[in-house]
Amino acid sequence: KIKEEMDKQRARFVDGAVKNGVSKPQADLIFDLLAKFANYGFNKSHAAAYAIVSYQTAYMKAHYPVEFLAASMTYDMSNSEKLNDFRQDAGRLGIAVIPPSVQTSYRHFETGENRIYYALAAIKGVGESAVDHITEVRGDRPFKSIEDFCLRIDPKQINRRVMESLISAGAFDCFGIDRAELVGGLDRIIGYAQRAQEEKVSGQSDFFGSSASAGPEKLILPPFNPWTPSEKLMREYQVLGFYLSAHPLDSYANILAKMRVQTFAEFSVSVKGGASFGKLAGTVTSRQERKTRTGNKMGIVAFSDSSGQFEAVLFSEGLAQYRDLLEPGKSLLITVQAEERPEGIGLRIQTAQSLEEKSVQMQKALRVYVRDSGPLKTVARHLNAKGDGLVSFVVIKDDGKREIEVELTEKYRISPEIAAALRAAPGVLDVELV
């Protein structure tokens, strides 16, 4: 595979063959055959074995796709890039990948009716012993609440790091409590579990409830600041290695369509067809800085979009200009110069812009649909910056037969990110960007 080395070996082989009575043309022909095989070749028995394995795996995937993908995901549980590939493959085949949950997940990826249950042991920071403990105390009785979970587990086996990883992955979403609220109340949750464990050891039975019918003492969590959708997804990415429940770019789908921004997969096809420049959108997942041979700095930035992950580079001037934008979790609009290489598509960033800022320039108005005044305080927390966007509340009355629209006198900063946060607020029926 190294041309210079092969040229040396050719001369050595041909000279030796000629000395042993083989003609030079014949020696060259033999070496050409060997060189072609050395590039990538199998002997017949090896090729036959590979063919059989290929047939067997293709048969399994065609006839038992759910089981095949679940087994493949379990085998590559520590490889988040492959897990994402399998998850996307499942989506193409119409197989649902159920997010991790302390109610339904096990150590490995398990199967259901046309679905795969995400493995708890595939969450970073959650070891197999912790997972085995959760599934053991759960048994065939699902946890009724976060309090019930705390009463059953041993906090020595389910420590703070495990709890935070489980929360960030969405494994406690089944209890209907906001992830930010759970993380903010971790000290109380762990303290609750520790007191329950002490009660078991001491033999007390009524510390958390005066009777069996009364149930356990209610766990009161402290006030919390909600995470933005991008922060929630970034935490999920950090423990899963990819975006599972949603992608940060989902909120910007309409804007990206208007600007005719391609996914990386679509752009790759264009590059193979001869394109050398393009416009992409991506969420930064990591950034590295290295020194070039000349001593200048260059950046290697990893991005994620709906079609997968890709890397792009930029050199000293661009790195200095855009460094503040290139932080993990930020979604950007980038223009790139592309080059097709043997190892894949090489990208160099020409310009970068915050997708959030671009969307703020494009959005003119926002409508929030509610039934009553309940969500107003939550909405106010997100509409805390002045801007150029009109905001109105549409109050639904008489079971949807009547609508009252009230436009606010002030103008606010509005964007898909803010709209997504408002949609998640309790009591908000819908949010519309115009």
Side-chain angles (χ1 to χ4, degrees):
K1 294 181 180 180
I2 303 172
K3 187 178 183 305
E4 294 78 6
E5 185 61 30
M6 288 298 289
D7 289 342
K8 292 179 185 176
Q9 294 301 322
R10 174 186 289 277
R12 181 182 176 191
F13 176 85
V14 172
D15 289 346
V18 169
K19 287 179 182 178
N20 283 285
V22 180
S23 68
K24 188 175 185 303
Q26 183 71 14
D28 280 324
L29 176 61
I30 294 170
F31 190 85
D32 287 339
L33 291 172
L34 292 171
K36 186 183 295 184
F37 186 84
N39 187 47
Y40 198 78
F42 291 150
N43 59 50
K44 288 182 179 179
S45 63
H46 193 70
Y50 262 64
I52 291 172
V53 172
S54 298
Y55 178 83
Q56 290 172 334
T57 53
Y59 181 91
M60 292 296 291
K61 186 174 181 181
H63 294 279
Y64 303 96
V66 178
E67 291 80 1
F68 176 82
L69 287 174
S72 299
M73 294 173 87
T74 296
Y75 180 76
D76 280 312
M77 195 159 16
S78 61
N79 189 329
S80 57
E81 189 171 337
K82 284 195 173 183
L83 287 181
N84 191 26
D85 289 341
F86 290 132
R87 191 263 308 202
Q88 291 182 338
D89 211 8
R92 286 191 291 270
L93 295 171
I95 300 168
V97 177
I98 308 303
S101 170
V102 293
Q103 299 285 42
T104 57
S105 296
Y106 291 84
R107 179 198 281 199
H108 297 150
F109 289 84
E110 299 290 342
T111 62
E113 186 63 35
N114 205 39
R115 60 184 55 194
I116 297 170
Y117 294 95
Y118 204 91
L120 288 180
I123 301 171
K124 296 174 184 177
V126 180
E128 291 186 350
S129 60
V131 175
D132 289 341
H133 178 64
I134 291 171
T135 55
E136 181 184 355
V137 299
R138 182 181 69 202
D140 57 0
R141 293 183 301 117
F143 300 110
K144 297 176 184 177
S145 60
I146 186 66
E147 290 87 355
D148 186 32
F149 179 86
C150 291
L151 290 176
R152 292 203 227 172
I153 61 146
D154 180 352
K156 292 180 181 177
Q157 297 195 55
I158 311 298
N159 58 31
R160 184 184 186 90
R161 185 189 177 199
V162 171
M163 287 289 291
E164 189 162 359
S165 294
L166 289 170
I167 293 167
S168 296
F172 288 112
D173 288 359
C174 52
F175 298 134
I177 305 173
D178 191 283
R179 296 183 195 180
E181 186 174 7
L182 287 170
V183 168
L186 259 180
D187 287 339
R188 294 189 186 184
I189 293 171
I190 293 170
Y192 189 100
Q194 289 172 340
R195 293 197 305 276
Q197 183 68 13
E198 290 167 3
E199 177 191 340
K200 288 179 190 176
V201 173
S202 66
Q204 295 178 16
S205 60
D206 61 352
F207 186 81
F208 288 95
S210 57
S211 67
S213 60
E217 172 189 312
K218 182 71 176 173
L219 178 60
I220 306 299
L221 299 176
F224 69 102
N225 292 319
W227 295 338
T228 63
S230 60
E231 183 181 0
K232 175 183 173 182
L233 290 173
M234 191 61 202
R235 285 174 177 261
E236 184 178 295
Y237 180 92
Q238 288 169 343
V239 294
L240 296 181
F242 60 94
Y243 297 106
L244 178 61
S245 62
H247 195 283
L249 297 184
D250 292 347
S251 301
Y252 302 96
N254 292 335
I255 290 174
L256 296 176
K258 287 179 183 177
M259 293 190 293
R260 298 182 180 179
V261 176
Q262 293 178 300
T263 64
F264 176 67
E266 293 168 341
F267 182 61
S268 297
V269 174
S270 300
V271 173
K272 290 174 182 177
S276 56
F277 291 91
K279 185 186 295 182
L280 299 172
T283 301
V284 178
T285 57
S286 68
R287 184 190 78 202
Q288 300 177 44
E289 295 188 16
R290 298 177 184 170
K291 282 190 175 182
T292 63
R293 294 175 186 174
T294 60
N296 294 323
K297 282 191 175 181
M298 66 173 289
I300 303 172
V301 187
F303 292 94
S304 171
D305 73 2
S306 59
S307 68
Q309 302 193 38
F310 59 95
E311 283 188 349
V313 302
L314 72 173
F315 295 95
S316 55
E317 287 186 16
L319 184 60
Q321 183 177 357
Y322 301 121
R323 182 180 274 110
D324 291 344
L325 289 176
L326 302 172
E327 292 295 330
K330 290 193 175 182
S331 295
L332 306 181
L333 186 66
I334 58 174
T335 57
V336 295
Q337 181 180 354
E339 179 184 0
E340 187 177 7
R341 299 171 181 167
E343 66 273 17
I345 306 295
L347 301 178
R348 179 175 175 178
I349 297 172
Q350 304 294 305
T351 64
Q353 181 180 8
S354 165
L355 194 50
E356 176 79 358
E357 294 303 320
K358 182 67 176 177
S359 66
V360 167
Q361 297 169 12
M362 297 177 68
Q363 305 295 180
K364 303 300 180 185
L366 178 145
R367 293 191 185 95
V368 183
Y369 292 81
V370 296
R371 292 194 188 280
D372 51 45
S373 61
L376 291 185
K377 287 185 178 179
T378 304
V379 172
R381 285 205 297 267
H382 292 289
L383 295 175
N384 55 10
K386 301 301 180 185
D388 298 321
L390 295 172
V391 176
S392 60
F393 286 89
V394 180
V395 185
I396 310 296
K397 292 289 187 182
D398 304 328
D399 295 326
K401 295 178 182 177
R402 191 161 58 100
E403 294 183 357
I404 303 171
E405 184 167 359
V406 180
E407 187 175 290
L408 302 185
T409 55
E410 300 281 351
K411 289 186 176 181
Y412 296 89
R413 175 189 174 89
I414 57 175
S415 70
E417 173 86 357
I418 292 171
L422 293 178
R423 281 192 192 95
V428 172
L429 303 178
D430 195 12
V431 176
E432 182 181 36
L433 278 169
V434 182

